[in-house]
């Protein structure tokens, strides 16, 4: 039975090593490496990795909102100890600072890119 590109790509995305991926679809490691040398296969694999990354990123964004809401709720909860509120506050302040720094860096990069385009 011929292993399709999609089957092999699925195995490569879900297995931690090429050896395990090759075993899961019944190919030799050499056969997997042979496919990996083909440009169109590598392109398909990279596209699948990008798609997988987008799904993971979306789930992380959803979890970030939940985590942020949880921290804010801890601050507002009268039954939570002062120590826990202090820790939640520290986390929120750290996240806020990192977010601000990243926004500043992105802005600076965009400004530099604009300057380079004008030259």
């Amino acid at each position: 039975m011929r292993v399709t590109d999609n089957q092999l790509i699925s195995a490569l995305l879900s297995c931690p090593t090429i050896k395990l991926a090759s075993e899961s679809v019944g190919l030799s490691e050499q056969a997997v490496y042979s496919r990996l040398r083909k440009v169109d296969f590598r392109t398909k694999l990279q596209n699948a990795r990008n798609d997988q990354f987008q799904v993971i990123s979306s789930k992380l964004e959803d979890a970030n909102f939940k985590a942020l809401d949880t921290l804010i709720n801890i601050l507002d909860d009268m039954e939570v100890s002062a120590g826990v509120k202090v820790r939640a506050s520290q986390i929120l302040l750290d996240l806020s600072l990192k977010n601000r720094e990243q926004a500043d860096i992105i802005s600076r990069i965009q400004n530099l890119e604009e300057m380079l385009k004008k030259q």
Side-chain angles (χ1 to χ4, degrees):
M1 179 177 124
R2 171 146 164 67
V3 175
T4 66
D5 284 352
N6 288 339
Q7 290 171 317
L8 181 54
I9 287 169
S10 180
L12 289 168
L13 292 176
S14 61
C15 296
T17 65
I18 289 177
K19 180 178 182 178
L20 290 173
S22 67
E23 290 172 358
S24 75
V25 293
L27 289 175
S28 69
E29 283 184 73
Q30 198 60 26
V32 174
Y33 283 112
S34 176
R35 289 241 197 132
L36 287 168
R37 283 191 289 275
K38 296 179 181 177
V39 173
D40 60 312
F41 180 80
R42 282 196 323 270
T43 300
K44 288 179 188 177
L45 177 59
Q46 189 57 51
N47 289 338
R49 283 183 175 145
N50 291 343
D51 291 345
Q52 186 180 52
F53 180 77
Q54 290 299 326
V55 170
I56 291 168
S57 294
S58 178
K59 286 185 177 187
L60 282 171
E61 286 296 318
D62 292 344
N64 285 339
F65 287 115
K66 283 183 175 180
L68 184 59
D69 286 343
T70 298
L71 289 170
I72 292 169
N73 289 335
I74 287 170
L75 291 177
D76 294 337
D77 190 338
M78 298 305 227
E79 310 232 344
V80 173
S81 72
V84 172
K85 286 185 178 192
V86 167
R87 183 67 186 130
S89 296
Q90 287 173 328
I91 292 169
L92 284 168
L93 290 170
D94 287 344
L95 290 172
S96 178
L97 179 61
K98 286 178 185 176
N99 188 49
R100 182 75 242 151
E101 288 172 345
Q102 288 176 348
D104 287 344
I105 289 169
I106 290 169
S107 176
R108 287 178 181 183
I109 290 171
Q110 289 171 337
N111 288 339
L112 288 170
E113 287 174 340
E114 287 299 316
M115 287 172 50
L116 288 172
K117 284 181 186 176
K118 289 178 183 177
Q119 292 181 350

